[in-house]
């Protein structure tokens, strides 16, 4: 069988990155080898995202560029998978006539069969059905060669209906992987040199509800905490309403659970939170933060905020800034609200105008910049345990890694350190990273 070339471009979140790795593995068995040059490809797959309008626009212009390659290579096939493919389905062919294949978030396992039918018959198809059990959830994604840290999907889908969010409609209801299957995968990864796993799901806190024996997320963390060779455990994303006292207590108890949590708050106004259907109040969020800091002093807390949700008044926005000043997030990802078709908020009255959203985002980001810098500056002079992940992007003589609380650290060193935990004294702090000097191996965590 002649080897064919596959080029995959991924948009969106880590879940999509994982899915792309699964697609590559599945197509490898049908004789496709991946390439990083789209012009050399026989098959191009764009794994799409639909979280905000901007994502959809970027994807369409990228598909326009790929279409030009068809003029040079008439045998080139172009497919789209992922969330926008799930959303647009058959109509993707009308919007982008150069497409050959559309497959949804539950249809990844059928990719080889779809590609071979396409090759045989030339028929263009859109497959976007949902499955009771998503078959691709059980496929282990293969980490990049030489990787120290990787993601492990533990569940997918979501049973919450946040009014702004298109994900439940595109990924379906929550489904968890069996605990023994996940632990088995983590053991294999440890054997391949992985030292850090990030457990991945749309709402990891509600892990296990569909599983035998009802293991919960804290049980899963404890089980992974016993896997030899895994030094660090992280997870994303958590819903504040499902963050249990048992999980909070895990921070002090499971040695490999890193001192960082990403806990999206979305707004600091009760009125807006209610209209978003988030299921908690600002006070409850503050109490969770306090409990986390009590159980794990110094824990790093990052979050997501949406500005300009329908009906957000200036006083609501001021409440978000006030929450930020009180909590002092280590980092914050912030977005202008983007109406998504099929979500509760898209049809709400009192949509906020673009220039107001833009201005609010600017103010919020300036405030967060000062907080992030303040937090990073506080690391100066400390000695941190850094898990070395690779050579720094900009400096060939520097290594890069992360602290347990998720800050990037660059320091002079050599590639022999990759995969080790070393002690680094922090000498410089920037907005996106720290710099330091190595003091020794073995990773003291001295503050
Ligand atoms: N508009 C803007 N931001 C959104 N997010 C999710 N949906 C939307 C939307 N319609 C943000 C939320 C979420 C993050 C991944 O993306 O803050 O936590
Ligand atoms: Fe984008 Fe959400 Fe789908 Fe991830 S799950 S690809 S963020 S729409």
């Amino acid at each position: 069988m002649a080897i064919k070339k596959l080029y995959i471009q991924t948009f969106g979140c880590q879940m999509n990155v994982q899915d792309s790795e699964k697609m590559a593995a599945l197509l490898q068995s049908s004789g496709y080898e991946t390439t990083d040059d789209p012009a050399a490809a026989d098959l191009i797959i764009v794994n799409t995202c639909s979280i905000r309008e901007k994502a959809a626009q970027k994807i369409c212009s990228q598909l326009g560029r790929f279409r030009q390659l068809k003029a040079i290579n008439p045998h080139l096939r172009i497919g789209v998978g992922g969330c926008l493919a799930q959303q647009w389905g058959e109509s993707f062919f009308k919007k982008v006539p150069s497409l050959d294949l559309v497959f949804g978030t539950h249809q990844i396992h059928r990719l080889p069969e779809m590609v071979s039918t396409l090759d045989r018959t030339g028929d263009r198809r859109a497959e976007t059905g949902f499955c009771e059990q998503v078959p691709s959830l059980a496929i282990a994604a293969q980490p990049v060669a030489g990787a120290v840290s990787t993601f492990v999907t533990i569940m997918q889908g979501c049973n919450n209906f946040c009014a702004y969010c298109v994900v439940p409609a595109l990924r379906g209801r929550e489904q968890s992987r069996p605990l023994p299957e996940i632990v088995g995968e983590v053991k294999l990864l440890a054997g391949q040199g992985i030292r850090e796993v990030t457990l991945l799901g749309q709402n990891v806190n509600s892990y296990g509800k569909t599983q035998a024996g009802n293991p919960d997320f804290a049980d899963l963390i404890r089980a992974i905490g016993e896997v030899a060779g895994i030094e660090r455990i992280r997870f994303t994303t958590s819903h504040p309403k499902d963050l249990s006292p048992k999980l909070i207590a895990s921070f002090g108890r499971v040695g490999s659970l890193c001192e960082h949590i990403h806990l999206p708050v979305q707004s600091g106004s009760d009125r807006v939170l209610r209209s978003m259907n988030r299921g908690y109040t600002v006070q409850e969020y503050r109490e969770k933060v306090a409990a986390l800091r009590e159980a794990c002093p110094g824990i790093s807390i990052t979050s997501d905020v949406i500005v300009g949700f329908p009906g957000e008044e200036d006083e609501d926005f001021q409440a978000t800034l006030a929450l930020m000043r009180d909590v002092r997030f280590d980092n914050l990802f912030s977005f202008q609200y983007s109406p998504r078709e099929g979500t509760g908020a898209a049809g709400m009255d009192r949509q906020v105008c673009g220039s107001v959203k833009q201005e609010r985002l600017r103010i919020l980001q300036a405030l967060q910049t000062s907080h992030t810098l303040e937090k990073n500056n506080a690391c100066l002079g400390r000695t941190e345990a850094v898990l070395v992940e690779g050579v720094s992007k900009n400096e060939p003589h520097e290594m890069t890694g992360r602290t347990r609380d998720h800050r990037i650290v660059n320091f002079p060193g050599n590639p022999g350190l990759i995969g080790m935990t070393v002690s680094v004294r922090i000498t410089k702090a920037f907005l996106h990273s720290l710099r330091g000097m190595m003091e020794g191996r073995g990773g003291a965590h001295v503050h």
Side-chain angles (χ1 to χ4, degrees):
M1 178 163 56
I3 298 271
K4 293 185 177 175
K5 299 276 186 202
L6 166 70
Y7 179 81
I8 303 188
Q9 179 155 6
T10 310
F11 290 85
C13 63
Q14 274 304 326
M15 187 70 81
N16 264 17
V17 174
Q18 291 292 101
D19 284 347
S20 291
E21 285 179 14
K22 295 178 185 183
M23 292 174 199
L26 283 166
L27 285 169
Q28 198 178 17
S29 0
S30 321
Y32 280 90
E33 187 175 80
T34 52
T35 170
D36 44 23
D37 177 12
D42 303 287
L43 173 63
I44 292 180
I45 288 180
V46 180
N47 196 2
T48 62
C49 170
S50 182
I51 194 107
R52 282 170 288 272
E53 184 60 31
K54 231 195 232 164
Q57 286 161 359
K58 270 203 321 212
I59 289 158
C60 288
S61 50
Q62 182 60 277
L63 286 168
R65 282 191 289 275
F66 287 150
R67 186 183 51 135
Q68 294 168 3
L69 295 174
K70 275 199 163 181
I72 306 164
N73 172 11
H75 300 293
L76 172 65
R77 311 280 196 190
I78 303 178
V80 285
C83 291
L84 194 63
Q86 183 67 43
Q87 190 171 19
W88 285 357
E90 193 77 39
S91 69
F92 224 136
F93 290 127
K94 286 207 197 80
K95 295 187 199 218
V96 184
S98 56
L99 280 182
D100 299 290
L101 203 64
V102 175
F103 59 100
T105 54
H106 288 200
Q107 297 293 329
I108 293 170
H109 62 293
R110 301 209 19 225
L111 194 50
E113 168 209 325
M114 290 179 73
V115 170
S116 98
T117 310
L118 177 69
D119 281 344
R120 249 190 2 259
T121 66
D123 278 352
R124 304 196 308 171
R125 280 201 294 169
E127 296 284 358
T128 52
F130 271 169
C131 310
E132 190 90 357
Q133 288 284 314
V134 183
S136 59
L137 196 55
I139 303 174
Q142 197 47 37
V144 183
V148 170
S149 173
T150 197
F151 288 81
V152 174
T153 305
I154 64 162
M155 49 110 58
Q156 87 147 353
C158 185
N159 289 357
N160 297 315
F161 286 89
C162 302
Y164 50 82
C165 189
V166 75
V167 174
L170 305 183
R171 291 259 172 195
R173 296 293 74 73
E174 240 169 63
Q175 277 181 37
S176 297
R177 286 177 75 189
L179 187 143
E181 186 179 299
I182 299 170
V183 173
E185 181 175 332
V186 172
K187 282 184 180 156
L188 278 177
L189 290 168
Q192 293 168 7
I194 293 293
R195 296 288 160 259
E196 174 181 281
V197 288
T198 303
L199 309 177
L200 189 63
Q202 265 86 32
N203 179 15
V204 291
N205 297 144
S206 66
Y207 169 80
K209 297 226 169 91
T210 51
Q211 291 303 309
N214 280 321
D216 64 16
F217 186 50
D219 297 331
L220 177 68
I221 288 184
R222 208 184 42 221
I224 296 177
E226 278 159 23
V227 176
I230 297 299
E231 289 173 29
R232 294 182 172 191
I233 304 172
R234 305 184 184 281
F235 57 86
T236 193
T237 284
S238 295
H239 193 305
K241 104 180 138 51
D242 298 319
L243 179 65
S244 67
K246 186 172 165 190
L247 181 61
I248 294 175
S250 308
F251 278 103
R253 296 197 187 133
V254 179
S256 46
L257 183 60
C258 287
E259 293 79 12
H260 168 230
I261 187 166
H262 184 63
L263 197 62
V265 66
Q266 310 299 1
S267 169
S269 151
D270 280 335
R271 226 170 45 79
V272 174
L273 286 177
R274 213 174 312 118
S275 151
M276 285 177 165
N277 194 26
R278 286 291 284 173
Y280 55 85
T281 62
V282 178
Q283 182 55 26
E284 281 161 355
Y285 186 88
R286 287 175 189 265
E287 284 164 11
K288 300 249 163 150
V289 167
L292 282 161
R293 289 187 165 149
E294 167 105 40
C296 183
I299 188 171
S300 151
I301 301 177
T302 57
S303 198
D304 292 344
V305 165
I306 295 175
V307 298
F309 185 79
E312 186 189 70
E313 299 287 342
D314 193 52
E315 72 186 88
D316 300 308
F317 175 62
Q318 294 303 329
T320 300
L321 298 180
L323 178 72
M324 287 168 61
R325 285 193 194 95
D326 292 347
V327 170
R328 288 201 131 63
F329 293 109
D330 291 78
N331 206 349
L332 186 77
F333 301 90
S334 46
F335 313 95
Q336 293 182 38
Y337 168 70
S338 165
R340 307 307 291 135
E341 200 188 314
T343 60
M348 283 181 185
D349 297 338
R350 301 168 61 214
Q351 298 281 331
V352 176
C353 89
S355 57
V356 171
K357 287 196 241 187
Q358 210 174 350
E359 181 59 6
R360 286 185 186 162
L361 191 67
R362 193 190 60 73
I363 294 169
L364 184 145
Q365 290 183 338
L367 179 64
Q368 184 56 43
T369 296
S370 71
H371 292 169
T372 307
L373 277 172
E374 174 187 292
K375 292 275 183 170
N376 285 352
N377 279 327
C379 299
L380 287 170
R382 288 187 196 163
T383 298
E384 292 280 352
V386 174
L387 175 61
V388 187
E389 291 177 23
V391 177
S392 150
K393 257 188 252 140
N394 309 325
E395 282 290 336
H397 300 294
E398 294 212 347
M399 305 309 293
T400 189
R402 284 186 192 263
T403 61
R404 284 179 58 102
D405 66 1
H406 212 230
R407 288 170 219 279
I408 295 173
V409 180
N410 296 307
F411 63 98
N414 64 69
L417 298 169
I418 294 173
M420 290 185 190
T421 300
V422 298
S423 297
V424 177
R425 196 166 53 79
I426 306 303
T427 53
K428 277 203 171 119
F430 308 101
L431 188 56
H432 300 294
S433 67
L434 304 172
R435 216 173 165 275
M437 296 299 287
M438 198 172 112
E439 289 192 328
R441 292 177 190 181
H445 189 48
V446 193
H447 277 188

